[in-house]
Amino acid sequence: MRKIILSILGILLIVGSFFVAKGIVDSKKSFRPKAGKVVKTVFTEVVKNGTVPIVVSANGNLNAKQRVELYAEVQGVFKRGSKLFKEGQSFRAGETIIRIDASEYAASVQSTKSNLYNELTSIMPDLRLDYPEYYPKWQTYLNNFDMAKSTPALPDMTSEKERFFISGRGILTSYYNVKNLEQRLSKYRIGAPFTGILTEASVTEGSLVRAGQKLGEFINPGVYELEVSVSKTYTDLLKVGESVKLSTLDQSKAYTGKVSRINGRVDQATQTIKAYIEVSDATLREGMYLEAYLDARKEDNAIEIDRNLLMEGDRIFVVKDSVLDVINVKPVYFSDKRVVLKDVPNGVTIMSKPLIGAYTGMAVKVYKDQPENTKG
């Protein structure tokens, strides 16, 4: 009997515990927050169509407009000059850049010049007897003949008799042989064609220089040219002499140049044409990378916006009664960050900054403290 009573009490306790637990669970209330309607804030601008200048950007490296590659035309030992032949060394116009030892060759030139002088001296007695009317000018030429200076030009021969007499004695042949040797002798010295600096030096003093060997490069650091490639679409709008704005890539320095030359051939691979912009400034250096901004043309009844605002299908967002909508537009020019549009009605309110997750019909709120400017 005791076991039966304990079993009944155990069953009643279990059943009671179940109902108590169920009551506790049912009495717990869950509070779920009511989802609120989120209205995002947008930046807007009111459209006012106007004239938008289309600026074509291009870039390239600076090259000196005046550049000379120095080559040796003769062979010899490179002699030390008044200035070192080193990169960065400056020379004035006409100053000797390179001098090659020409003592041996100069001696042979003097020997040939001496032979010419002797031949002239030997014909003077015959010239005085046979053609006395020509004698004075040849005697004057002989008196002015200086072995230490360049051979002067022969006197003008005014008659066939005089020409046959001089030529028959071998004077003309000897004279041109001397001039040829003197011309080659001048190649042992290379003078600066203009005031500039050395940007490359391939030889040093005392080294043997061979004919045809490159010795260095010499540039004028005062004037540079920037070679840029421009789309063929705008080539008919570029003009020689047109002013061009230039800047470094970090926009830290700005320069002003002008279009000096335009190539007449279109690159078949890139469909671009090369334009050359002349620029001069003391802070410029050859090889600097600059960006050029060419004024290509002006587009009337257009606006310019951020390129990220243009959606696929040539559409942009507008704000109507605090709701986003889209309109179709006509893009006429793309740059890296901006786009020029047409067919945008005046007075329409458009988004001025991209909005993540924007869609047609989305409720928005216009930012009140934004600058009150118009797009045009």
Side-chain angles (χ1 to χ4, degrees):
M1 181 62 69
R2 184 181 178 182
K3 293 181 179 179
I4 293 173
I5 293 172
L6 292 174
S7 298
I8 293 172
L9 291 174
I11 293 172
L12 292 174
L13 182 62
I14 293 171
V15 173
S17 300
F18 175 76
F19 283 105
V20 171
K22 187 174 183 302
I24 294 174
V25 172
D26 292 339
S27 65
K28 186 177 181 181
K29 296 181 179 180
S30 58
F31 297 93
R32 294 183 179 179
K34 185 178 181 181
K37 187 176 182 180
V38 179
V39 179
K40 293 188 176 182
T41 303
V42 294
F43 290 85
T44 61
E45 290 181 352
V46 178
V47 172
K48 184 179 179 181
N49 285 288
T51 301
V52 179
I54 293 181
V55 180
V56 180
S57 62
N59 47 57
N61 294 93
L62 283 179
N63 292 302
K65 186 175 182 179
Q66 288 183 299
R67 165 194 298 275
V68 174
E69 291 187 346
L70 305 175
Y71 284 89
E73 296 185 62
V74 294
Q75 180 172 312
V77 177
F78 187 7
K79 294 180 65 177
R80 181 183 179 89
S82 59
K83 292 183 178 180
L84 290 176
F85 188 76
K86 299 291 184 182
E87 296 175 0
Q89 181 65 58
S90 62
F91 293 90
R92 297 187 305 274
E95 193 174 2
T96 300
I97 300 177
I98 297 171
R99 187 181 298 278
I100 300 173
D101 186 12
S103 54
E104 182 179 350
Y105 191 81
S108 64
V109 174
Q110 289 297 98
S111 176
T112 308
K113 188 184 296 186
S114 177
N115 291 335
L116 173 61
Y117 185 82
N118 292 336
E119 290 177 358
L120 286 170
T121 304
S122 65
I123 68 168
M124 295 307 293
D126 294 338
L127 185 65
R128 186 173 185 176
L129 292 175
D130 297 337
Y131 305 102
E133 66 274 19
Y134 305 130
Y135 176 80
K137 65 178 179 181
W138 285 96
Q139 183 61 48
T140 302
Y141 177 81
L142 195 60
N143 293 336
N144 295 330
F145 197 99
D146 191 346
M147 296 293 294
K149 298 180 180 179
S150 177
T151 303
L154 293 175
D156 292 334
M157 289 173 277
T158 57
S159 67
E160 288 189 0
K161 294 186 297 182
E162 180 185 13
R163 189 177 299 109
F164 290 158
F165 178 82
I166 297 298
S167 178
R169 299 299 181 93
I171 301 299
L172 292 179
T173 302
S174 299
Y175 169 78
Y176 287 113
N177 285 339
V178 171
K179 297 302 291 184
N180 181 48
L181 294 177
E182 287 182 340
Q183 184 66 28
R184 187 163 184 81
L185 180 64
S186 66
K187 299 181 184 300
Y188 283 82
R189 172 192 173 274
I190 299 178
F194 46 79
T195 300
I197 62 171
L198 278 172
T199 57
E200 181 182 336
S202 306
V203 294
T204 57
E205 289 85 350
S207 58
L208 177 62
V209 175
R210 293 178 174 84
Q213 180 180 350
K214 184 177 181 179
L215 307 177
E217 287 187 4
F218 186 72
I219 69 166
N220 180 1
V223 184
Y224 294 94
E225 277 190 338
L226 180 70
E227 180 186 294
V228 296
S229 297
V230 182
S231 174
K232 67 176 184 179
T233 308
Y234 306 105
T235 54
D236 57 331
L237 304 174
L238 293 176
K239 296 180 180 179
V240 174
E242 183 179 356
S243 179
V244 180
K245 294 181 179 179
L246 305 169
S247 69
T248 55
L249 290 183
D250 57 2
Q251 305 293 324
S252 61
K253 291 185 178 181
Y255 309 94
T256 301
K258 65 177 181 179
V259 179
S260 60
R261 293 178 290 126
I262 300 175
N263 198 340
R265 182 174 64 88
V266 176
D267 190 324
Q268 295 183 358
T270 60
Q271 289 299 293
T272 58
I273 194 169
K274 293 187 183 299
Y276 299 87
I277 302 168
E278 184 178 315
V279 59
S280 178
D281 194 276
T283 61
L284 294 174
R285 295 291 183 271
E286 187 176 51
M288 283 181 63
Y289 196 80
L290 294 182
E291 191 154 3
Y293 303 95
L294 302 163
D295 293 331
R297 69 168 185 261
K298 289 179 171 54
E299 197 70 49
D300 296 328
N301 297 321
I303 64 171
E304 185 180 22
I305 64 172
D306 191 320
R307 188 167 178 171
N308 294 325
L309 295 173
L310 184 65
M311 300 182 295
E312 293 183 5
D314 297 338
R315 299 180 300 168
I316 60 173
F317 278 115
V318 297
V319 180
K320 295 181 179 179
D321 299 327
S322 300
V323 177
L324 290 183
D325 197 2
V326 294
I327 60 172
N328 294 321
V329 294
K330 178 184 177 181
V332 293
Y333 175 71
F334 290 90
S335 65
D336 292 340
K337 298 180 180 179
R338 311 285 288 177
V339 58
V340 178
L341 303 177
K342 300 194 74 170
D343 296 345
V344 183
N346 279 323
V348 172
T349 302
I350 65 173
M351 283 201 314
S352 59
K353 292 185 179 180
L355 178 64
I356 299 176
Y359 57 89
T360 304
M362 179 180 182
V364 294
K365 179 175 63 174
V366 177
Y367 184 61
K368 298 296 183 182
D369 296 332
Q370 62 184 336
E372 295 183 359
N373 58 348
T374 57
K375 205 72 180 173

